[in-house]
Amino acid sequence: MSSENPYSTPEASVEVAAEEYYQPKFFSASGRIGRLRYLAYLTGAYLLFYALMVPFISGVAIVGIEQKEMMSGILAGLLGLATLVFIAFAIIVVKRRLNDLNKSGWLTLLFLVPVANFILGIYLIFFSGSGGANRYGPAPSANPTGIKVLGLLLPIIAFVGIIAAVAIPAYQDYVGKAQQAQMQSQ
């Protein structure tokens, strides 16, 4: 007969395993990215896309004035190609953000549905990802300073734009009324 008590506590190690993190790669289509990195990647892509778009559109306008149809077509084709690359990158970034939320990348198709795209956008920005590893991989590592700055740039630009859209017309209306009042008092 065995001298061990079958009701004794097991002698297993109770150490907590170190959590696994990975450094997200910018051009990877797999893995997870958090909210701030999602905003940073999209902000960087927007800024790069618009920086490329200005010379393309200017080139199309200049070439179009000179009636050079072939050059205008080539520049318009390059602009279309840049647009397709931007859309593909945005789809990959949304898929990776959905993976962080432990959701399938197929939910990206909801961006094609008018009201659902707004709700999905809110969900991607304001809901935190699953803690620790999920079925799409380990949690992403902490964000460096560049990601934090770039991620917060777009909300700041949007806020300043909204304030400017309200304040500039109100100021112009104020100046117009002040000039009319000044004219009437003379």
Side-chain angles (χ1 to χ4, degrees):
M1 202 158 168
S2 171
S3 65
E4 290 184 32
N5 182 359
Y7 302 108
S8 66
T9 59
E11 297 192 19
S13 174
V14 291
E15 295 177 14
V16 177
E19 287 200 39
E20 227 180 279
Y21 293 100
Y22 84 103
Q23 180 63 39
K25 308 255 184 296
F26 186 73
F27 291 109
S28 175
S30 62
R32 301 166 48 184
I33 57 172
R35 291 179 284 192
L36 196 57
R37 196 174 297 260
Y38 167 74
L39 286 173
Y41 284 3
L42 286 182
T43 301
Y46 285 140
L47 293 175
L48 180 64
F49 178 71
Y50 288 121
L52 290 174
M53 197 165 70
V54 169
F56 280 141
I57 291 176
S58 301
V60 169
I62 291 169
V63 170
I65 291 171
E66 297 177 3
Q67 304 299 326
K68 295 182 183 175
E69 294 175 14
M70 187 174 90
M71 284 301 292
S72 179
I74 290 172
L75 288 174
L78 288 173
L79 180 61
L81 182 64
T83 303
L84 289 177
V85 168
F86 172 74
I87 290 171
F89 179 76
I91 289 171
I92 289 170
V93 169
V94 169
K95 179 223 174 250
R96 291 176 69 189
R97 177 69 186 121
L98 284 167
N99 288 348
D100 189 47
L101 294 162
N102 209 17
K103 305 290 182 206
S104 171
W106 287 103
L107 288 176
T108 303
L109 294 174
L110 286 176
F111 274 115
L112 299 174
V113 182
V115 175
N117 59 9
F118 178 73
I119 295 169
L120 181 61
I122 298 282
Y123 179 65
L124 292 175
I125 293 172
F126 291 109
F127 283 74
S128 62
S130 58
N134 65 16
R135 64 183 172 174
Y136 297 102
S141 64
N143 296 318
T145 305
I147 293 290
K148 291 176 184 175
V149 169
L150 196 57
L152 295 174
L153 186 64
L154 188 63
I156 291 170
I157 290 172
F159 179 74
V160 169
I162 291 170
I163 296 298
V166 172
I168 290 173
Y171 178 72
Q172 289 174 339
D173 186 45
Y174 167 75
V175 168
K177 287 181 182 179
Q179 287 174 348
Q180 286 178 354
Q182 192 176 22
M183 293 287 215
Q184 289 176 355
S185 68
Q186 290 179 355

